[in-house]
């Protein structure tokens, strides 16, 4: 988003609720740094009411620290192209490129940030120094404080879930009303059943029997649940007994033929293996990971690099490679027979260490696989134990199945161990082969380039032949196991071959010497010209940076003047419109035409004032009339209500007499009152 669109969005949001600012683009752009900081503080005050204050009453450093803290709580991340020092300075000085992105980010997420600020008040932990935490009372209070914080988290989650569950008060009230109605219906039904039961002759006895029946049924349910729990516990115990018996059998079978010395030897081997893994393998892995983390942290902390930095690094790499090659040549020229002897033993030691490391990695992989298989086995056992209707072998069938399964598992474990070893060794060897091939190709290319530069092409092939001869010697030593005399004879022959090879290389080295002298002669000239070039380049860079700063300053002045021009142009137009209105008003006021005078603001507002005065006069008269007639009207209304109640009472009496006459006539037509007449009259009297 460009800066103009960003400013437009900020102005639109600030003019809405709850900010209610009356900014436009020009007035907002012309705000001073202190005013812009006050706007930022007002937005933060809407998010967190504790931030509401006038920044003029606060020191600038305190304002910056407070804004940093609230932004850290709200988890605001500065733009990638802005460093932390620039960000802090921009907030302290109220710079627009720093404040505008903050305002945009805050105005986009006001409800979310309000919630985060509310939660931060309860969830941001208090930093207590370690010396104070050593006090038991303080430590217990801090633990209680953390427990209350976790409890608050859970309650807040429940509250949010209830808010988002879709329930509202109207539905809950409706449910409560329905439940009350159902409760009343159930109470009436219970009363009706109670009256019916009480009329029965043996009601008390039947109630006692029903109560005892209900108690016994509840007790039966509890006993059934306890029985099921006991059966489940018995099943689990049986399974545990079977597992323990199987482990006991495995331990007994493993102990067959075992002696204390063999067990001690086995434990010593395991101890040595674990000691190698703990003391050598794991520290190397940890150091490698730490080194990788340090390199990554360095890469993250270093600012973005340009082409000039990359060129400098490439030049340094080239110089270091040349220095390394020179050291290798020097070492090869000054090589001694003792070093050649030690190189063979170093190769053998490296091979053994590599095999040892590979065996340790294989062991670790096998242990991980064993743990994984053990977890899968436990899961399978749980599935089999919980499966309903599973077939369980018993007696001789179970023993035969166990023996068959044990033999198969033994063979499977051996084959799996062999396969894992082969896979691990194949993986290690494949990866080693790939790495060595890549390194060999890279080194060969570098050496070829260096040899071509130095004019000694073919030197590497000669060195490789020498290494092949030495490797053949080591292979012959390992395969045939010659005696020390044979080895010394072979070493003499090899030294003779090496001397012959050096003699063949002597003319080439003599040809290289004048070239090296020429390089030394040209070196000072090259260094002086390089220094001159670097000084010229530095001067150009400094001039370029000064020109860039001047151009940026002129652009800022141009933008400021352009903004000021637009602002003054708008103000001029507004003043012109106001001036036109004033001229029109004066023209109408001075004109002799009555119609024009009636159109003036003075006449218009005078007319409206007269209308409002007439309206207020009429309302006062109406108010006086209502006050005068209030008491007689109230008395008359009360008399009408009494008359209405009297007529209603007469109507009810007439309806009751009509009902009594109709009932009496019906009884007389049926042949007299009989026994039901007094009951009916009693009921009617009760109704009356």
């Amino acid at each position: 988003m460009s800066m103009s669109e960003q400013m437009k969005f900020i102005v639109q949001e600030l003019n809405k609720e709850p900010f209610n600012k009356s900014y436009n683009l020009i007035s907002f752009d012309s705000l001073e740094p202190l005013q812009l900081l006050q706007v930022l503080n007002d937005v933060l005050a809407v998010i967190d009411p504790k931030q509401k204050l006038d920044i003029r009453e606060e020191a600038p450093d305190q304002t910056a620290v407070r804004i940093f803290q609230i932004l850290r709580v709200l988890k605001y991340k500065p733009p990638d192209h802005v460093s932390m020092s620039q960000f802090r300075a921009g907030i302290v000085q109220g710079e627009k490129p720093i404040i505008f992105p903050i305002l945009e980010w805050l105005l986009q997420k006001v409800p979310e940030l309000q919630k985060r600020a509310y939660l931060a008040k309860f969830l941001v932990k208090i930093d207590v120094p370690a010396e104070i935490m050593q006090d038991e009372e303080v430590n217990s209070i801090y633990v209680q404080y953390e427990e209350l914080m976790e409890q608050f988290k859970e309650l807040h989650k429940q509250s949010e879930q209830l808010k988002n569950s879709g329930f509202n008060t109207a539905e809950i009230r409706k449910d409560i009303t329905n439940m009350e109605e159902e409760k009343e219906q159930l109470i009436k039904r219970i009363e009706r059943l109670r009256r019916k039961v009480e009329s029965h002759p043996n009601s008390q006895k039947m109630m006692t029997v029903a109560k005892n029946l209900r108690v016994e049924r509840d007790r039966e349910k509890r006993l059934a649940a306890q029985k099921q729990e006991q059966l489940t516990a018995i099943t689990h115990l049986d399974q545990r007994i079977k597992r323990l018996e199987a482990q006991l059998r495995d331990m007994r079978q493993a102990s067959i033929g075992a002696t204390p010395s063999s067990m001690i030897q086995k434990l010593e081997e395991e101890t040595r293996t674990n000691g190698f893994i703990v003391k050598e393998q794991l520290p190397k892995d940890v150091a490698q990971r730490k080194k990788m983390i340090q390199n990554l942290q360095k890469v993250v902390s270093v600012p973005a690099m340009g082409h000039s930095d990359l060129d400098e690094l490439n030049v340094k790499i080239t110089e270091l490679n040349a220095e390394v090659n020179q050291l290798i040549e020097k070492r090869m020229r000054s090589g001694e027979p003792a070093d050649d002897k030690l190189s063979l033993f170093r190769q053998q030691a490296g091979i053994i260490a590599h095999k040892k490391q590979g065996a340790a990695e294989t062991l670790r992989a096998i242990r991980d696989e064993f743990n994984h298989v053990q977890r899968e086995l436990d899961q399978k056992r749980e599935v089999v134990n919980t499966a309903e209707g599973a077939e369980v072998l018993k007696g001789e069938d179970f023993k035969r199945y166990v023996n068959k399964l044990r033999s198969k598992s033994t063979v499977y474990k051996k084959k799996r161990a062999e396969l894992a070893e082969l896979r691990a060794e194949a993986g290690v060897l494949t990866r080693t082969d790939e790495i060595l091939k890549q390194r060999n190709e890279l080194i060969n290319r570098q050496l070829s380039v260096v040899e071509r530069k130095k004019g000694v092409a073919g030197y590497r092939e000669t060195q490789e032949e020498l290494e092949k001869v030495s490797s053949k010697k080591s292979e012959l030593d390992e395969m045939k196991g010659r005696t020390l005399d044979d080895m010394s004879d072979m070493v003499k022959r090899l030294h003779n071959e090496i001397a012959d090879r050096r003699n063949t290389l002597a003319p080439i080295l003599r040809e290289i010497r004048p070239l090296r002298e020429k390089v030394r002669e040209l070196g000072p000239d090259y260094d002086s010209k390089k220094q001159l070039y670097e000084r010229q380049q530095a001067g150009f860079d400094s001039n370029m940076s000064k020109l860039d700063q001047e151009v940026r300053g002129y652009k800022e002045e141009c933008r400021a003047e352009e903004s000021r021009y637009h602002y003054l142009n708008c103000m001029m137009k507004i003043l012109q419109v106001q001036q036109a209105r004033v001229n029109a008003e004066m023209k109408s006021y001075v004109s002799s035409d009555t119609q024009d005078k009636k159109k003036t603001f003075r006449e218009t507002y005078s007319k409206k004032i007269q209308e409002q005065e007439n309206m207020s006069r009429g309302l006062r008269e109406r108010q006086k009339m209502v006050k005068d007639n209030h008491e007689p009207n109230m008395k008359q209304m009360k008399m009408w209500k009494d008359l209405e109640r009297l007529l209603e009472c007469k109507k009810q009496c007439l309806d009751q007499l009509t009902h009594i006459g109709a009932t009496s006539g019906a009884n007389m037509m049926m042949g007299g009152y009989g026994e039901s007449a007094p009951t009916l009259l009693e009921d009617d009297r009760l109704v009356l």
Side-chain angles (χ1 to χ4, degrees):
M1 186 181 289
S2 63
M3 196 165 182
S4 60
E5 295 177 355
Q6 193 178 52
M7 189 165 58
K8 185 177 180 182
F9 171 75
I10 293 170
V11 170
Q12 289 177 355
E13 293 297 325
L14 289 176
N15 291 334
K16 297 179 182 178
E17 291 285 343
F19 305 104
N20 296 326
K21 305 287 185 181
S22 58
Y23 291 126
N24 53 31
L25 293 176
I26 298 171
S27 61
F28 185 73
D29 188 44
S30 61
L31 289 176
E32 297 294 330
L34 189 63
Q35 296 174 345
L36 194 59
L37 276 177
Q38 184 64 51
V39 172
L40 175 60
N41 192 81
D42 294 341
V43 175
L44 292 174
V46 171
I47 295 171
D48 187 3
K50 292 191 297 184
Q51 308 297 325
K52 189 174 183 180
L53 53 86
D54 191 351
I55 61 174
R56 292 175 297 182
E57 301 174 356
E58 190 179 25
D61 53 349
Q62 294 179 357
T63 303
V65 170
R66 182 171 54 80
I67 293 176
F68 291 152
Q69 289 178 353
I70 186 65
L71 290 178
R72 181 174 60 82
V73 169
L74 299 177
K75 296 182 179 180
Y76 172 74
K77 293 182 179 179
D80 297 333
H81 63 277
V82 178
S83 63
M84 289 305 297
S85 59
Q86 293 176 352
F87 181 70
R88 295 190 186 96
I91 289 183
V92 172
Q93 297 173 5
E95 296 179 356
K96 295 179 182 178
I98 303 298
I99 302 297
F100 282 0
I102 299 174
L103 287 173
E104 181 187 10
W105 185 78
L106 293 174
L107 294 172
Q108 286 176 351
K109 304 178 179 182
V110 171
E112 180 183 351
L113 296 177
Q114 286 177 342
K115 181 179 177 182
R116 186 176 295 172
Y118 167 74
L119 293 176
K121 183 170 60 175
F122 303 101
L123 298 181
V124 175
K125 291 186 178 181
I126 302 171
D127 293 332
V128 181
E131 310 84 48
I132 300 176
M133 286 295 292
Q134 292 178 359
D135 190 358
E136 295 182 357
E137 185 176 358
V138 175
N139 194 6
S140 62
I141 293 172
Y142 195 79
V143 171
Q144 186 179 1
Y145 165 69
E146 290 180 343
E147 292 176 355
L148 292 173
M149 189 177 291
E150 294 296 329
Q151 186 178 1
F152 173 76
K153 288 181 182 178
E154 296 296 329
L155 292 175
H156 184 71
K157 288 181 182 178
Q158 295 177 6
S159 174
E160 292 296 325
Q161 290 176 359
L162 291 174
K163 288 179 181 178
N164 299 327
S165 60
F167 293 112
N168 54 20
T169 56
E171 293 180 356
I172 294 172
R173 288 174 181 173
K174 187 177 180 181
D175 293 339
I176 292 171
T177 306
N178 294 331
M179 292 172 68
E180 289 178 352
E181 292 178 356
E182 291 178 359
K183 180 181 177 182
E184 291 178 357
Q185 291 177 2
L186 289 173
I187 291 171
K188 290 179 181 178
R189 189 175 178 183
I190 291 168
E191 290 294 331
R192 193 161 51 248
L193 291 173
R194 183 178 294 170
R195 285 197 301 268
K196 188 182 291 184
V197 170
E198 287 176 355
S199 63
H200 199 276
N202 296 327
S203 60
Q204 207 60 28
K205 187 177 180 180
M206 291 178 67
M207 290 289 290
T208 306
V209 171
K211 183 178 180 181
N212 294 332
L213 177 62
R214 186 171 60 254
V215 171
E216 291 299 326
R217 283 181 177 176
D218 294 339
R219 187 166 175 269
E220 184 181 2
K221 288 181 181 178
R222 288 196 300 272
L223 291 174
Q226 291 179 2
K227 182 180 178 182
Q228 187 63 34
E229 291 177 359
Q230 294 295 330
L231 291 174
T232 305
I234 290 169
T235 305
H236 289 313
L237 291 173
D238 291 338
Q239 293 171 0
R240 186 179 178 187
I241 290 168
K242 291 178 182 179
R243 285 198 301 272
L244 293 174
E245 289 177 352
Q247 292 178 3
L248 180 61
R249 285 196 299 269
D250 293 338
M251 295 295 291
R252 285 175 179 175
Q253 187 176 1
S255 64
I256 295 173
T259 60
S261 60
S262 63
M263 294 178 69
I264 290 171
Q265 186 177 1
K266 186 177 179 181
L267 290 173
E268 287 178 352
E269 290 178 357
E270 290 182 357
T271 304
R272 284 196 296 271
T273 305
N274 294 328
F276 170 74
I277 293 172
V278 172
K279 294 179 181 178
E280 297 184 12
Q281 187 69 24
L282 291 177
K284 288 181 181 178
D285 295 341
V286 172
Q288 187 176 2
R289 297 291 175 84
K290 287 182 178 179
K291 188 175 180 182
M292 186 184 296
I293 291 169
Q294 290 176 358
N295 293 332
L296 293 174
Q297 288 177 351
K298 288 180 181 178
V299 171
V300 171
S301 61
V302 171
M305 301 177 68
H307 291 288
S308 60
D309 298 330
L310 294 176
D311 294 337
E312 291 178 1
L313 290 176
N314 289 327
V315 170
K316 288 182 181 178
I317 290 169
T318 306
E319 292 176 355
L320 291 173
N321 287 331
E323 187 177 354
V324 169
N325 293 327
Q326 291 177 2
L327 292 173
I328 291 171
E329 291 177 0
K330 186 176 179 181
R331 182 175 176 274
M332 291 176 64
R333 287 197 301 271
S334 64
E336 296 179 358
D339 293 336
D340 295 333
K341 290 180 181 179
L342 291 175
S343 64
L344 299 176
F345 295 108
R346 285 196 189 98
Q347 286 181 354
Q348 293 177 359
I351 293 169
I352 293 170
H354 188 269
K355 287 184 178 180
K356 193 174 182 182
Q357 187 176 3
E361 292 178 356
T362 305
L363 178 61
R364 185 188 298 176
I366 291 171
R367 284 182 176 177
D368 295 338
E369 187 176 0
F370 174 75
N371 295 328
H372 179 66
V373 172
Q374 190 68 31
R375 288 194 297 270
E376 287 185 354
L377 180 61
D378 295 337
Q379 292 176 359
K380 297 290 184 183
R381 282 176 177 171
E382 290 180 0
V383 172
V384 171
N385 293 331
T386 55
E388 295 181 0
E391 184 179 0
V392 180
L393 299 176
K394 296 181 180 179
E396 296 296 330
D397 295 335
F398 181 76
K399 290 181 180 179
R400 286 195 296 271
Y401 175 76
V402 168
N403 293 327
K404 185 177 179 181
L405 185 62
R406 188 176 294 141
S407 61
K408 286 184 178 180
S409 64
T410 305
V411 175
Y412 169 71
K413 288 178 181 177
K414 290 181 180 179
K415 299 295 183 183
R416 189 183 63 188
E418 293 176 0
L419 182 61
E421 291 177 358
L422 293 173
R423 284 177 178 173
E425 188 173 0
V428 172
L429 292 175
T430 304
R431 181 59 181 164
T432 306
D433 187 25
E434 291 176 358
I435 293 170
L436 292 175
K437 284 180 180 178
Q438 292 175 1
R439 290 181 179 177
N440 189 19
E441 291 175 0
L442 180 62
I443 292 170
N444 288 336
R445 288 196 296 270
Q446 292 178 354
L447 288 175
S448 299
V449 173
V450 173
E451 287 173 358
R452 284 196 297 271
K453 287 182 179 179
K454 302 298 182 180
V456 289
Y459 179 79
R460 178 171 49 83
E461 286 78 4
T462 306
Q463 181 66 24
E464 288 178 355
E465 290 179 2
L466 292 175
E467 291 177 357
K468 287 180 181 178
V469 172
S470 64
S471 64
K472 287 180 181 179
K473 174 182 173 299
S474 63
E475 291 175 358
L476 291 172
D477 290 339
E478 291 178 0
M479 292 172 61
K480 297 179 181 180
R482 294 181 182 277
T483 60
L484 294 174
D485 295 333
D486 295 335
M487 290 175 67
S488 62
D489 294 336
M490 188 176 290
V491 168
K492 288 179 181 179
R493 289 197 301 272
L494 291 172
H495 282 309
N496 293 329
E497 290 182 3
I498 291 168
D500 294 338
R501 296 291 182 181
R502 285 180 178 173
N503 292 328
T504 56
L505 290 173
I508 298 172
L509 294 173
R510 283 195 295 272
E511 292 177 0
I512 291 173
R513 287 193 186 97
L515 296 174
R516 288 181 177 172
E517 292 177 357
K518 189 175 180 180
V519 169
R520 291 193 195 96
E521 292 175 358
L522 295 174
D525 189 12
Y526 169 75
D527 293 336
S528 62
K529 290 183 178 180
K530 184 179 179 182
Q531 291 176 0
L532 180 62
Y533 169 76
E534 289 177 351
R535 284 197 295 271
Q536 293 290 339
Q537 185 68 25
F540 290 149
D541 291 339
S542 62
N543 292 331
M544 195 71 180
S545 62
K546 289 179 181 178
L547 292 174
D548 288 338
Q549 290 178 358
E550 290 179 1
V551 169
R552 283 196 294 270
Y554 290 146
K555 285 183 178 179
E556 290 293 335
E557 290 180 3
C558 181
R559 282 197 291 269
E561 293 297 331
E562 186 177 357
S563 175
R564 188 166 178 273
Y565 164 73
H566 289 302
Y567 174 72
L568 293 175
N569 193 10
C570 292
M571 293 299 294
M572 188 183 297
K573 289 181 180 179
I574 292 170
L575 292 174
Q576 287 175 358
V577 172
Q578 293 177 355
Q579 184 66 32
R581 289 182 180 176
V582 171
N583 293 333
E585 181 72 14
M586 292 297 295
K587 184 178 179 181
S588 300
Y589 188 73
V590 175
S591 177
S592 59
D593 191 359
T594 56
Q595 296 296 329
D596 292 338
K597 287 186 177 181
K598 288 181 179 180
K599 293 179 181 179
T600 59
F601 288 107
R602 180 177 180 182
E603 293 294 333
T604 303
Y605 288 126
S606 298
K607 185 178 179 181
K608 287 184 178 180
I609 290 169
Q610 187 65 33
E611 290 176 357
Q612 293 297 324
E613 288 179 352
N614 294 332
M615 188 182 295
S616 63
R617 192 180 299 112
L619 291 173
R620 282 196 295 271
E621 292 177 356
R622 187 176 177 185
Q623 182 183 9
K624 183 179 179 182
M625 183 180 65
V626 169
K627 286 182 179 179
D628 294 339
N629 297 328
H630 177 67
E631 292 182 0
N633 289 337
M634 291 297 292
K635 290 181 181 179
Q636 188 176 4
M637 187 174 67
K638 185 178 179 182
M639 292 170 65
W640 280 111
K641 284 185 177 180
D642 293 340
L643 179 61
E644 184 181 3
R645 288 168 58 191
L646 183 60
L647 292 175
E648 185 67 28
C649 183
K650 287 184 178 181
K651 182 177 176 297
Q652 290 179 1
C653 293
L654 182 61
D655 291 339
Q656 289 176 2
L657 291 174
T658 305
H659 178 67
I660 292 170
T663 306
S664 301
N667 291 331
M668 290 175 66
M669 289 175 69
M670 290 173 67
Y673 292 102
E675 295 178 355
S676 61
T679 305
L680 182 61
L681 290 174
E682 290 175 0
D683 292 340
D684 291 336
R685 283 196 297 275
L686 289 172
V687 171
L688 288 173

